[in-house]
Amino acid sequence: MGMRCFALAMVCAMLICGQARAQDDPFALLFGDAVDAGSEDRPGEDDVRFVGVRLGDLRLKNTLTSYQRAEGLCVIAADMFALLEASVDVTVSEATGWFLSPEQTLLIDLESATAMMGGSESLDLSGQIFATSDGWCMTSAAWSRILPIDFAYDPASLTLHLQPRQLLPIEARLEREALRSLLKPEQGPVRPDYRQVKRPYRWMSWPTADITLDVSGQKDAETDLQGSVELAGDLLFATARMRTAENDQGDLGLRLSFERVLDPGDSRVQPKQIRFGDVVGPGHPLIGKPETGRGVTITNRPAYLVDIFDTTDIRGPLPEGWEAELHREGLLVAFVESPNSQGEYVFPEVEIRPGYNRFTVKLFGPFGEEQARAVKIFAGQEMHPENEVQYEFALIEEGITLDGQSTGIHRPAASASLNYGLSRRLTVQLDAKATALGEAAATTSLAGAYGDTHGVVRLAGSNFGGPAAEVGLVHLFQDRSSLDVRYEWNGGLAPLSARQEIAPPRQTLRLDYDTMLPVIRHGLPTRARMAWQEALDGSNRLNVGLQAGSSHHGWRWSQTAFLERIWGMESPSSNSFRGGLSLARTLSGVRIRGGLDYEAVPKASLRSAEISAQRRLRDGGFGQLSLNRDMQTGRTQMAAAYSRDFGRFALSATGGIDDTGRWSAGLRLAASLFFDPRKGRYQSALPGLTRTGAVRANVFDDLDGDGVYSSGDRAVEGASFIVDQSVRKEESGADGGVTLGSMDPHRTINLELSLGSLDDPFLQPVEPGLAVTLRPGQVLDINVPLTLSGEADGTLVLLKGENEVPVAGVLVQAISAAGNVVGEALTEYDGYVYLDGLPMGQLEIRVSPEALGSVEGRSEAIPIMLTRDEPSAFGVRLAIANHAESPE
């Protein structure tokens, strides 16, 4: 009896132990504990494990075929070396190659179960290397001994963790890919391909108004009240701008101008802008400043400030299997993953900005090799793109406004300016101007760049004075110091737009040298300047100055000093040496600034001192206090200022008092008015709408699905927008409306809804974003309809005969009726997967084709239907069948 009880107890103990082991490994629970096989046995089909691989915090692979052994997880050698992108050839009996560098050779022999690294003593791998039907494998412990990586297997999550002991080439590649993922797919345009909202010119539109009211007063003086109004809107199929203005005599008048921006299409010479009314003409070097008056100007220059000078192709040889990246000032801007048919990398239409453009082309080999090439391109301010013509013509009655008021010298004039890029390094410019008084002048300019040097030469002549010339040279040194030299000689040529009593100098010379002195830890930015001028009467003026500034432990400082000498006149020559020191620091949210102006020659003295404190206040306003002492007059003055934006208007107030009791004060109220078609009335906004553009966005839950806000829809409050990748602070009100102002006119701007600002996480916009191009004073009304998003969850299993095994780390996707991926997620350790943010309609849930290919399996997609009444689909079941198995 006792013997029978003992035997029964032993059997129970064995069953309990076996169950414990099976619970540690879910595969053992389903297929039996295969680890009982001896170490010399060949791993079988029941030992197969599909594991995920993590390299530090990165998921390296979702499914990797491995075998579970008593000695540990055994990973197929060919698969692991391929995963690590190592230069190792694996055959049926050995592995040869190198890892990390060609000097660190590697030799692994299956028959002798040995490994040799870099010619060192061989390692004994007995009991840690096995042959399988998929190729020979090694245990985690063996991999850790051979490679500078710690291998650890977690059977509960079916994950193999790799922790490198030194930097691996694959880590560098993954970091590069992470940076590349921030670029647009397939290196498309920088701007997303959003739907362009078009708004053509109309013969008349509701005007936008900027209104400013100023009230000022001071001791023993009357209170002064002034106001100004500026209007902008469509009129006669152009943008009309009208503003009030005072002339020199204080008479109030109106300034009216019209502007039409054209779409030139593919033409480079067709005009882009036409302006008429009260306009400003172009300036001309040496012969004329910009003239102001009534007239017309025509140009093909861009309607807004262009920060792109030109584009060019950067190319070079690229071996097969290598990749190339293009960096601008250390930032990744483009990449090429394979050579073209000519064996080259090509970065097409790289943007060239004005000034020095520094690029670095980095080449990466398949096994961690790296090379670099520097590319420098200079684009001077006087230069223009190759084969591109830019022109501007003006016919202006200078000094007379459209309403007949005189603003200065009355002189009708015609002028023209033309630029042509002879090559990428050479530009020619022609300028001409003539007046109704019979005066005429012309200038020829030639600008060029070579390497780190840029130069310009100008020659001018007229029918009323001697010739004039200008020579300029800019050079950038290797340490990024720069020298700018300008010399101008005038033989009696006066600018046509200058008053006759203003005589130009005979000759001038200016030198600017910018550098970084190795004085402090990060260097000291320093600028040295010398300017010399000789007047027509023979007098001379020389200025030599030095400016430096930096920051240290929260303090920012700058120092300016200059020496001036005047000589050559009938009166005695004079010398002076002056300077200034300024300091600034932020303490507890208060910005403190201080400054001193001093004089050393002709006598040492302190000229003035000032200190101020600025702070952002709790009410959202901005306050400032300042104290100034003028040692020359002995006057001390205290001043205060306050400004705040109230959402619909801006308010600012100033005040000051000196030590004599004399005071002054001022108050300014400014706002913009625009017509809201949704409400049918004018609304107020922050000032500046007539000079910029704005978008009035209406955010609503489109319950009826017609894309237009109606009584059946629900306005969404608190929604904010991302404008050109910057989050705006404005939020939609209770009516769902929000005004986004201060947008640059005549430039394509992208805006999209910030999903994080929505209270309902299941709402999403019908369109991902919009692209708008605004005109000055234009407030574009757009609808932003939202729709409900759906969700789905399910499980993924691997079929093994009559058993189902949960599979972790496999990518599951949601596919729209058009075949686009609209959602994806990885399965968890128990095969569970959750997909959210799905659009309404007919969808399919599937295992990603890449995951199926890695396990040589197949799986059927599961169709689902999401509607507003049923936005969720739960319990989706996906199955992977291997070889002859078929999903249920």
Side-chain angles (χ1 to χ4, degrees), residues 51 450 456 602 784 845 866:
V51 301
Y450 183 79
V456 60
V784 184
I845 308 299
L866 301 180

Side-chain angles (χ1 to χ4, degrees), residues 199-206 233-238 775:
R199 190 174 184 182
Y201 287 94
R202 295 184 293 175
W203 75 274
M204 187 174 67
S205 68
W206 291 99
D234 284 3
L235 183 63
L236 303 177
F237 299 99
R775 299 189 288 273

Side-chain angles (χ1 to χ4, degrees), residues 605-810:
S605 63
L606 187 63
R607 299 177 60 85
S608 65
E610 181 180 8
I611 186 171
S612 65
Q614 305 168 343
R615 181 183 177 89
R616 177 74 63 181
L617 305 178
R618 292 183 178 179
D619 62 357
F622 184 80
Q624 175 175 322
L625 293 174
S626 62
L627 181 66
N628 178 272
R629 171 71 174 177
D630 189 340
M631 280 71 169
Q632 305 295 310
T633 62
R635 182 184 180 189
T636 302
Q637 184 177 15
M638 179 181 291
Y642 173 79
S643 61
R644 182 184 174 187
D645 293 340
F646 288 88
R648 293 183 178 272
F649 64 92
L651 175 69
S652 61
T654 59
I657 188 171
D658 61 17
D659 51 3
T660 65
R662 185 176 183 84
W663 60 267
S664 63
L667 182 68
R668 165 169 286 193
L669 184 66
S672 292
L673 297 177
F674 70 94
F675 185 77
D676 188 349
R678 182 172 165 182
K679 294 185 176 181
R681 64 175 186 270
Y682 270 89
Q683 291 201 81
S684 61
L686 290 177
L689 285 185
T690 59
R691 295 179 296 277
T692 62
V695 169
R696 176 67 177 177
N698 305 303
V699 187
F700 59 94
D701 187 1
D702 191 15
L703 299 177
D704 54 13
D706 62 355
V708 180
Y709 184 76
S710 57
S711 58
D713 298 329
R714 181 181 65 87
V716 176
E717 185 177 4
S720 61
F721 284 80
I722 301 174
V723 178
D724 276 349
Q725 301 180 352
S726 297
V727 180
R728 297 290 293 259
K729 64 180 181 179
E730 299 92 336
E731 296 183 350
S732 59
D735 61 349
V738 57
T739 303
L740 306 172
S742 301
M743 294 190 180
D744 294 336
H746 305 304
R747 183 175 68 86
T748 301
I749 298 174
N750 293 302
L751 59 93
E752 58 182 285
L753 189 67
S754 176
L755 299 181
S757 65
L758 301 178
D759 293 333
D760 188 347
F762 293 100
L763 285 177
Q764 65 179 9
V766 175
E767 292 184 293
L770 297 171
V772 299
T773 302
L774 304 171
R775 299 189 288 273
Q778 185 180 44
V779 180
L780 185 60
D781 189 79
I782 62 172
N783 289 316
V784 184
L786 307 180
T787 185
L788 194 66
S789 63
E791 59 181 346
D793 73 354
T795 56
L796 174 63
V797 297
L798 176 66
L799 299 180
K800 296 289 291 185
E802 297 181 356
N803 300 304
E804 298 179 354
V805 182
V807 184
V810 176

